[in-house]
Amino acid sequence: SAVISQKPSRDICQRGTSLTIQCQVDSQVTMMFWYRQQPGQSLTLIATANQGSEATYESGFVIDKFPISRPNLTFSTLTVSNMSPEDSSIYLCSARDRALRGGYNEQFFGPGTRLTVL
Amino acid sequence: AQTVTQSQPEMSVQEAETVTLSCTYDTSENNYYLFWYKQPPSRQMILVIRQEAYKQQNATENRFSVNFQKAAKSFSLKISDSQLGDTAMYFCAFMKQEGGADGLTFGKGTHLIIQP
């Protein structure tokens, strides 16, 4: 299995500022994903971040608002730019790889970052 | 595009009872995977059980089992001998065939409360 950590675990930010969330995996993974979970809601996929290629964004999410980096096989960052109160959510990092338990059939999640925008 | 529907926003049962959470989905794919994830108050998403669509046999993991009806596109989770620690949000999720670059599509979740 994979252990995924995220920093920060929570933050309170002012409108108009940006926050970068870090995601670290304890093993090399080919696929990493970023999800958003708005208060009391389900998880929505923001983008897929595979090492060596540009992130692929889902409908409704754009790179200018949610730039993503994937510099190596164990690390990724998600930036929430020019934040507004509507961006208040939990942001979760996830990973999947053939070499992990369950292979490509299982996705592991980080503990999430709770973001509050005032 | 796939959709996943969980029609029970909240359920409450007594400890040791059996409870069934429902999930239906819609897809044009023939090969896919279905999952139940548990999210306790700690927010950590935990995989409860997984079902491959090509397998007719229902998956079982200890007290957790599924009733997978492919033709009906139904994927319910049964929890036997429920325990207080089972209290959590439960999400049904869909994923295309292995190796695809797609993430998971989640349902809205069911808040399960186990009463002592």
Side-chain angles (χ1 to χ4, degrees):
Chain A
S1 64
V3 177
I4 302 176
S5 58
Q6 290 184 229
K7 289 182 181 180
S9 60
R10 59 176 61 215
D11 207 342
I12 300 173
C13 301
Q14 296 297 320
R15 181 196 300 260
T17 62
S18 298
L19 176 72
T20 295
I21 302 169
Q22 299 178 5
C23 177
Q24 180 75 52
V25 188
D26 70 343
S27 52
Q28 294 184 338
V29 292
T30 50
M31 297 181 188
M32 293 184 75
F33 307 86
W34 287 97
Y35 291 84
R36 181 175 72 182
Q37 186 176 22
Q38 294 178 303
Q41 301 297 315
S42 184
L43 284 76
T44 300
L45 181 65
I46 297 172
T48 301
N50 294 333
Q51 198 270 339
S53 62
E54 296 291 323
T56 303
Y57 289 82
E58 296 298 301
S59 176
F61 298 96
V62 296
I63 187 171
D64 289 346
K65 176 68 175 177
F66 298 101
I68 288 171
S69 77
R70 181 79 199 274
N72 57 52
L73 289 173
T74 64
F75 188 78
S76 178
T77 66
L78 170 75
T79 299
V80 186
S81 302
N82 188 25
M83 288 183 286
S84 66
E86 292 70 35
D87 295 320
S88 297
S89 292
I90 297 171
Y91 292 86
L92 295 104
C93 172
S94 175
R96 191 165 89 216
D97 191 89
R98 183 190 301 276
L100 300 177
R101 181 192 75 193
Y104 281 129
N105 303 338
E106 184 167 350
Q107 208 158 313
F108 297 89
F109 285 84
T113 295
R114 182 184 294 275
L115 171 62
T116 302
V117 184
L118 302 178
Chain B
Q2 288 67 231
T3 59
V4 178
T5 302
Q6 293 178 249
S7 58
Q8 304 153 311
E10 185 171 291
M11 296 187 71
S12 180
V13 299
Q14 296 294 122
E15 191 176 8
E17 290 183 346
T18 294
V19 59
T20 298
L21 309 183
S22 64
C23 172
T24 59
Y25 60 95
D26 190 24
T27 183
S28 58
E29 302 285 332
N30 190 48
N31 298 314
Y32 51 87
Y33 298 88
L34 296 164
F35 307 86
W36 279 99
Y37 276 89
K38 170 184 177 181
Q39 187 181 41
S42 67
R43 303 200 307 261
Q44 182 68 55
M45 293 287 285
I46 302 166
L47 178 65
V48 174
I49 200 164
R50 172 180 60 231
Q51 175 79 44
E52 292 88 342
Y54 65 84
K55 289 187 177 179
Q56 293 186 337
Q57 186 173 6
N58 290 323
T60 299
E61 289 286 343
N62 300 315
R63 298 183 295 108
F64 300 87
S65 62
V66 298
N67 182 4
F68 174 50
Q69 302 290 328
K70 189 173 184 180
K73 297 181 180 174
S74 171
F75 182 61
S76 61
L77 173 70
K78 185 172 82 171
I79 305 174
S80 303
D81 186 26
S82 58
Q83 301 174 359
L84 296 178
D86 295 333
T87 294
M89 283 292 294
Y90 286 81
F91 293 99
C92 179
F94 173 101
M95 186 180 77
K96 289 182 183 178
Q97 186 178 11
E98 173 186 306
D102 300 300
L104 296 167
T105 301
F106 286 89
K108 291 186 179 295
T110 296
H111 184 205
L112 177 63
I113 301 168
I114 309 299
Q115 305 275 9

